[in-house]
Amino acid sequence: MGQINTKDFMIGTLIGGIAGASAALLLAPKSGKELREDLNEGAQLVYEKGNTFASSAKDKSSELVQTVTDQSNEMVDKVKEVSANVKRDVEDMRQSADELVGDLTDDIKDTNEDIADNVRKEVEQLHQSITEENDKRQ
């Protein structure tokens, strides 16, 4: 079975007490003056219990507000910390990417220079071969 909510229990107890006291006062054989005095006492008791309940509810709600505020502040601090960590990680990745691009650019330049040197050598060899063939033919 589910748990009984404290607020619902308190309200039920208060209403039950009022109903029982009223029934007892109204059904008891008393004079009008005694009945009025008993009703006033019952009303005073209900008033005091209502104040006690209201005070208890106010204290509980204040505690709840403080707990929620504290937990919210903790969450905000954690979010700020995680955000700072993410920002730092993004900066680190950006720096690594820039370094990688620089390294790749250097490698591409070196590779292009190597290819150009190889092409020049092959062109020179081809030119030399052609020149030798022409010399042989003449």
Side-chain angles (χ1 to χ4, degrees):
M1 190 171 279
Q3 294 181 344
I4 297 176
N5 187 343
T6 305
K7 178 182 170 187
D8 293 340
F9 179 75
M10 292 295 288
I11 290 171
T13 302
L14 187 61
I15 292 171
I18 292 169
S22 298
L25 291 174
L26 294 174
L27 297 176
K30 295 182 179 183
S31 68
K33 185 176 182 181
E34 289 176 334
L35 182 60
R36 283 191 300 274
E37 287 175 2
D38 288 345
L39 285 173
N40 283 336
E41 287 175 16
Q44 183 63 31
L45 179 65
V46 168
Y47 178 76
E48 289 172 6
K49 288 202 183 250
N51 283 339
T52 302
F53 175 70
S55 176
S56 175
K58 183 179 178 183
D59 291 344
K60 296 267 185 205
S61 66
S62 294
E63 290 173 14
L64 180 62
V65 165
Q66 187 60 46
T67 300
V68 169
T69 300
D70 292 345
Q71 289 177 351
S72 296
N73 289 337
E74 286 177 22
M75 289 300 290
V76 166
D77 291 343
K78 286 180 183 179
V79 167
K80 285 179 181 177
E81 181 182 341
V82 168
S83 177
N85 289 341
V86 167
K87 184 177 180 181
R88 186 178 58 248
D89 291 346
V90 167
E91 279 300 316
D92 290 346
M93 287 191 296
R94 183 176 290 134
Q95 184 177 358
S96 295
D98 290 345
E99 290 172 4
L100 181 60
V101 166
D103 291 346
L104 288 173
T105 301
D106 291 343
D107 289 347
I108 289 171
K109 284 180 184 176
D110 292 343
T111 301
N112 285 343
E113 289 174 6
D114 290 344
I115 291 172
D117 287 343
N118 287 338
V119 168
R120 274 190 219 107
K121 286 178 186 176
E122 288 183 22
V123 167
E124 286 175 8
Q125 288 174 355
L126 184 60
H127 182 267
Q128 187 177 6
S129 293
I130 292 172
T131 304
E132 287 176 4
E133 281 297 317
N134 280 344
D135 286 344
K136 284 183 186 178
R137 285 187 189 166
Q138 291 180 356

